[in-house]
Amino acid sequence: MKKIFKKLHLWMALPLGIFISFMCLTGGILVFRVEIQHLIHPDTYYVDEVKETPMSFAELIPKVHEALPDIAMEGVFLSTDPRRTYSFDFETAKNTSVEVDPYTGEIKGKLFPGEPEFDTLFDVAQKLHTTLLFNVKQGEFSLGRFITGLSTLVLTFIVITGIVIWAPKKIKNIKDRLKVNTKKGGFRFWYDLHLAGGILAAIFLLTMVLTGLDYSYEWYHNGLSALFGVEEQAGPPPGAVKGNRGGEKQEIDYVQIGMALDKVVAQLRHDYPDATDMGFKYGGRAFVTTDNGISEIGMSWDNKTGALTEPKTFSDQPMRTKLEMTVMKLHEGKFLAGFSKTLWLLTAIIGTILPITGYYFYFRKITRKSINKKLKLAQA
């Protein structure tokens, strides 16, 4: 039986291993994207001087709109760290924003396509991770998305067959299978690392893969939803690229929104003194992150009066929202804050190395066979 699984493991990994390495590498880079961006671009994400009080949103929101009047503003995200800039979300591509000094209204950085701050390593990594840098248009076939989806699906079976291959016949031999020998040459080291590293990372790789499939395939998303009793809604599949959200321009009263938001923020700061982040969409959605970045509380707010609905914790959310939040947190390693993100980074590094070592073993074997065959012919 193990011989069959070895062949399956090999022939599934050979054609797609390089793509699996790319996906693990880029996924690992994205785990600490925010922290690294803040570290390498402090002028964008931190204010020059912390003052006693920030500007009111009634002043700040119109000021930011005046600086960029041609793009509709959608929301604002803020950290409770007084040194941090406010991040204003605009109606452009995904993950785009403008970083603003809340004490002066100065724009510290524009994270839009074409702007130098936007086209960074992380945005290339994001595109590699999801589409291998191929262009993606809604409703059209994308070779890059097809390859990444197929690689994710195949990786599920690679991990499962790897577990079967690794499993020793006797329980007492498990300890030996987890050792990495550093004294018997390079081949033995990489072979042991492939076995031990693969099995130690297996459950975490499977978690990444099984949640990643939810973004890759509509049939998988529908099946997962059905499994948890979630009824499907009409609309594009998860992971689909959204079209422009333009249309006719609507006049938005940013002063009124700012006045309402001042009330909301004051109320939430009072109700959640341990909050780390807050986010507000001008259409009326809001969230507060607590418990050192682990728990998220959602609610609605009236952008005219500043009235809040009853906040909903994770347990209060409908099953659809619970499922979406769980899949996202598990896939991105955000379920236990810094600990889980570090664990996911280590898993991604192992996932990057495994296909490379696999190629090394395979080509070493066929090269040796070729050399031995030539020696036999020469001796004949």
Side-chain angles (χ1 to χ4, degrees):
M1 181 62 73
K2 280 197 175 184
K3 286 184 178 179
I4 295 173
F5 278 95
K6 280 182 179 180
K7 288 187 179 296
L8 287 172
H9 189 81
L10 172 64
W11 294 110
M12 285 189 295
L14 271 179
L16 295 171
I18 187 65
F19 300 112
I20 290 169
S21 280
F22 266 118
M23 290 171 66
C24 288
L25 176 63
T26 53
I29 290 171
L30 293 170
V31 167
F32 284 100
R33 172 178 183 157
V34 172
E35 291 83 353
I36 297 172
Q37 279 183 319
H38 291 182
L39 183 65
I40 62 179
H41 294 296
D43 292 342
T44 298
Y45 295 99
Y46 290 89
V47 301
D48 297 326
E49 180 186 356
V50 176
K51 298 182 180 180
E52 189 174 346
T53 56
M55 294 173 65
S56 70
F57 282 104
E59 296 175 280
L60 191 58
I61 290 176
K63 187 178 180 69
V64 176
H65 172 62
E66 286 173 13
L68 294 162
D70 298 327
I71 313 172
M73 199 189 303
E74 288 194 321
V76 61
F77 300 86
L78 55 132
S79 166
T80 52
D81 182 348
R83 300 169 300 163
R84 286 275 289 106
T85 53
Y86 288 177
S87 180
F88 284 84
D89 186 26
F90 281 74
E91 191 178 272
T92 55
K94 186 179 179 182
N95 294 330
T96 60
S97 65
V98 170
E99 298 298 318
V100 177
D101 185 327
Y103 302 101
T104 65
E106 177 192 356
I107 291 178
K108 303 285 287 181
K110 298 177 185 178
L111 307 183
F112 286 170
E115 298 288 344
E117 295 96 336
F118 183 86
D119 299 314
T120 63
L121 164 69
F122 300 101
D123 298 287
V124 173
Q126 181 73 50
K127 291 172 184 176
L128 272 171
H129 190 69
T130 54
T131 66
L132 297 175
L133 298 181
F134 283 83
N135 290 327
V136 179
K137 293 182 180 179
Q138 188 176 3
E140 294 183 6
F141 172 79
S142 165
L143 179 61
R145 193 174 288 282
F146 171 78
I147 293 173
T148 55
L150 181 61
S151 299
T152 305
L153 183 62
V154 168
L155 182 54
T156 308
F157 298 99
I158 292 174
V159 173
I160 292 170
T161 54
I163 293 171
V164 174
I165 295 166
W166 174 88
K169 292 180 180 179
K170 296 180 180 180
I171 295 177
K172 66 179 183 179
N173 294 332
I174 288 179
K175 187 178 179 181
D176 293 331
R177 290 293 182 95
L178 294 173
K179 288 181 179 178
V180 177
N181 198 310
T182 59
K183 298 178 181 180
K184 294 186 178 180
F187 175 81
R188 180 59 185 270
F189 170 77
W190 290 113
Y191 183 77
D192 286 349
L193 186 64
H194 189 91
L195 291 178
I199 200 63
L200 290 173
I203 188 66
F204 307 120
L205 277 172
L206 274 177
T207 302
M208 292 178 182
V209 169
L210 294 175
T211 51
L213 286 171
D214 188 65
Y215 298 101
S216 299
Y217 293 107
E218 185 178 1
W219 59 263
Y220 185 90
H221 173 77
N222 293 341
L224 194 62
S225 298
L227 181 65
F228 288 94
V230 177
E231 293 184 5
E232 278 308 300
Q233 296 176 337
V241 176
K242 295 180 181 179
N244 292 329
R245 293 168 286 178
E248 292 186 10
K249 249 188 176 179
Q250 295 183 350
E251 289 298 323
I252 301 172
D253 189 341
Y254 288 113
V255 175
Q256 185 182 57
I257 288 175
M259 292 172 66
L261 194 55
D262 282 323
K263 295 180 183 178
V264 173
V265 172
Q267 181 66 46
L268 293 179
R269 285 186 185 276
H270 176 270
D271 293 345
Y272 303 98
D274 65 333
T276 55
D277 300 280
M278 298 180 188
F280 305 91
K281 289 291 186 179
Y282 297 160
R285 289 184 292 116
F287 73 86
V288 177
T289 305
T290 60
D291 298 331
N292 197 29
I294 297 175
S295 301
E296 189 173 294
I297 302 162
M299 65 205 77
S300 297
W301 65 286
D302 189 312
N303 62 15
K304 294 182 175 64
T305 66
L308 281 166
T309 63
E310 184 179 353
K312 291 183 178 181
T313 62
F314 180 82
S315 60
D316 299 324
Q317 300 291 345
M319 181 54 74
R320 170 180 297 281
T321 304
K322 286 181 182 179
L323 183 59
E324 289 174 353
M325 290 174 67
T326 302
V327 167
M328 183 274 290
K329 284 181 176 291
L330 286 174
H331 190 67
E332 298 180 6
K334 294 181 178 178
F335 51 94
L336 287 176
F339 173 77
S340 57
K341 290 173 77 170
T342 302
L343 184 60
W344 252 224
L345 175 60
L346 294 173
T347 302
I349 292 171
I350 293 172
T352 304
I353 293 172
L354 289 176
I356 297 171
T357 53
Y359 282 130
Y360 168 59
F361 303 146
Y362 175 72
F363 287 111
R364 184 177 186 272
K365 183 177 179 180
I366 62 173
T367 301
R368 286 199 163 194
K369 278 186 177 180
S370 176
I371 292 171
N372 289 337
K373 187 175 180 181
K374 288 179 181 178
L375 286 174
K376 286 180 181 179
L377 288 173
Q379 291 170 359

